[in-house]
């Protein structure tokens, strides 16, 4: 059987089925991609050491610059193919990054481990639901990344609630931050504004930014967020603003 081609073209390198979705590794232009099901979105981009990918993953991967002390304990909820964690290691090769990835689908980890370049340093990947993992963990983190999606383009409902973000706040170390990737058409979309309000109901300090045509980022903390540091940390710089009231 020949794997189904992607509607945007490219070459299908590998394909498999999991209990959750159809997975394909696709070479498209100069990138190697992980796509699910129909491929309406790109779940991960392989990190080629000679040509680091940009986009929202690069902006999130710059966030350890906001954490002054090592080790930086990082939790990536929605690890997928490891783009964010891999980029973090390459952006900060001399920092002590203690990364934990959480990925629901073991076959996502397996197919990308076979067809993506490995990270600079191995890091543990736990196969579990993100909320269940956080509930069961007693560890504190300096940086929590929320990048978990279902059906390609939507965040699972139990990961967008005030209760979930309250849970994340309880797992942050002092001075820690949460950064969430939200798929929305604009900064003013009702979906994004509602998400920002949900997060702001939990955290006293919130900043928002745009990192691509559909990628909106929310950064939240119990301590003040220096927006200028966010701008200078981003690769490349993006538009950030404080957003206590969306």
């Amino acid at each position: 059987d020949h794997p189904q081609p992607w509607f945007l073209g490219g070459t299908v390198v590998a394909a498999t089925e999991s209990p959750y979705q159809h997975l394909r590794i696709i070479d498209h232009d100069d990138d190697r991609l992980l796509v699910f099901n129909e491929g309406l979105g790109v779940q991960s981009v392989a990190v080629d050491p000679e040509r680091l990918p940009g986009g929202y993953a690069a902006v999130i991967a710059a966030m350890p610059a906001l954490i002054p002390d090592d080790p930086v304990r990082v939790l990536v909820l929605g690890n997928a193919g490891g783009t964010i964690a891999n980029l973090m290691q390459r952006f900060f090769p001399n920092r002590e990054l203690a990364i934990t990835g959480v990925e629901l689908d073991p076959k996502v980890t397996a197919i990308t481990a076979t067809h993506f370049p490995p990270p600079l340093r191995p890091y543990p990947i736990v196969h579990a639901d993100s909320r269940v993992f956080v509930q069961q963990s007693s560890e504190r983190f300096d940086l929590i990344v929320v990048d978990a999606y279902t059906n390609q383009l939507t965040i699972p409902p139990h990961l967008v609630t005030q209760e979930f973000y309250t849970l994340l706040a309880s797992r942050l170390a002092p001075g820690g931050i949460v950064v969430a990737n939200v798929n929305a058409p604009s900064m003013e979309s009702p979906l994004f504004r509602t998400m920002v309000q949900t997060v702001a109901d939990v955290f006293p300090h919130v900043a928002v930014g745009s990192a691509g045509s559909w990628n909106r980022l929310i950064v939240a903390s119990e301590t003040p967020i220096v927006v200028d540091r966010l701008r200078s940390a981003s690769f490349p710089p993006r538009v950030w603003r404080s957003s206590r009231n969306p």
Side-chain angles (χ1 to χ4, degrees), residues 172-241:
L172 279 181
I177 62 175
V178 172
V179 55
N181 172 42
V182 180
N183 191 52
S186 75
M187 300 279 281
E188 306 305 321
S189 75
L191 167 67
F192 186 67
R193 290 170 63 86
T194 299
M195 275 293 303
V196 174
Q197 186 61 64
T198 297
V199 176
D201 286 341
V202 175
F203 289 93
H205 303 281
V206 177
V208 297
S210 182
S213 58
W214 279 79
N215 297 105
R216 318 298 162 205
L217 302 182
I218 304 172
V219 179
S221 181
E222 298 284 352
T223 57
I225 299 167
V226 181
V227 176
D228 286 344
R229 292 183 67 190
L230 279 175
R231 294 190 185 107
S232 64
S234 298
F235 298 108
R238 302 290 176 174
V239 176
W240 290 96
R241 67 171 186 257

Side-chain angles (χ1 to χ4, degrees), residues 74-78 100-103 126-141 143-148 158-159 162-172 178 203:
V74 181
L75 177 64
V76 180
L77 301 176
T100 300
V102 178
E103 171 54 48
V126 180
H127 296 116
D129 175 86
S130 291
R131 183 161 174 167
V132 171
F133 174 85
V134 176
Q135 286 173 326
Q136 295 179 346
S137 174
S138 59
E139 189 173 353
R140 297 296 184 98
F141 298 92
L143 172 60
I144 299 177
V145 176
V146 184
D147 193 29
H158 63 301
L159 303 185
Q162 183 176 332
E163 292 77 10
F164 175 64
Y165 278 90
T166 300
L167 178 63
L168 294 186
S170 73
R171 298 298 186 267
L172 279 181
V178 172
F203 289 93

Side-chain angles (χ1 to χ4, degrees), residues 1-245:
D1 292 339
H2 295 287
Q4 183 71 22
W6 193 29
F7 74 96
L8 290 178
T11 301
V12 179
V13 176
T16 190
E17 296 285 341
S18 84
Y20 302 100
Q21 54 226 343
H22 179 65
L23 315 175
R24 282 174 292 174
I25 301 293
I26 296 173
D27 285 342
H28 184 264
D29 293 334
D30 294 324
D31 292 319
R32 174 159 287 188
L33 312 173
L34 168 69
V35 301
F36 295 164
N37 299 332
E38 299 90 347
L40 299 178
V42 173
Q43 268 59 52
S44 287
V45 181
V47 177
D48 181 345
E50 302 301 321
R51 183 178 171 273
L52 297 181
Y56 84 94
V59 178
I60 294 177
M63 293 295 163
L66 304 183
I67 309 297
D69 299 319
D70 287 350
V72 183
R73 295 160 295 178
V74 181
L75 177 64
V76 180
L77 301 176
N79 186 74
T83 303
I84 290 172
N86 200 332
L87 281 173
M88 278 186 187
Q89 292 180 348
R90 295 180 186 280
F91 286 166
F92 303 99
N94 298 319
R95 297 286 306 265
E96 186 180 349
L97 303 176
I99 302 172
T100 300
V102 178
E103 171 54 48
L104 180 64
D105 191 344
K107 288 204 170 184
V108 168
T109 302
I111 197 170
T112 52
T114 300
H115 296 284
F116 277 17
L120 282 178
R121 293 174 294 278
Y123 62 92
I125 300 172
V126 180
H127 296 116
D129 175 86
S130 291
R131 183 161 174 167
V132 171
F133 174 85
V134 176
Q135 286 173 326
Q136 295 179 346
S137 174
S138 59
E139 189 173 353
R140 297 296 184 98
F141 298 92
D142 303 293
L143 172 60
I144 299 177
V145 176
V146 184
D147 193 29
Y149 275 75
T150 185
N151 297 326
Q152 306 171 70
L153 299 176
T154 57
I155 304 173
H158 63 301
L159 303 185
V160 297
T161 65
Q162 183 176 332
E163 292 77 10
F164 175 64
Y165 278 90
T166 300
L167 178 63
L168 294 186
S170 73
R171 298 298 186 267
L172 279 181
I177 62 175
V178 172
V179 55
N181 172 42
V182 180
N183 191 52
S186 75
M187 300 279 281
E188 306 305 321
S189 75
L191 167 67
F192 186 67
R193 290 170 63 86
T194 299
M195 275 293 303
V196 174
Q197 186 61 64
T198 297
V199 176
D201 286 341
V202 175
F203 289 93
H205 303 281
V206 177
V208 297
S210 182
S213 58
W214 279 79
N215 297 105
R216 318 298 162 205
L217 302 182
I218 304 172
V219 179
S221 181
E222 298 284 352
T223 57
I225 299 167
V226 181
V227 176
D228 286 344
R229 292 183 67 190
L230 279 175
R231 294 190 185 107
S232 64
S234 298
F235 298 108
R238 302 290 176 174
V239 176
W240 290 96
R241 67 171 186 257
S242 296
S243 185
R244 283 294 299 130
N245 297 302

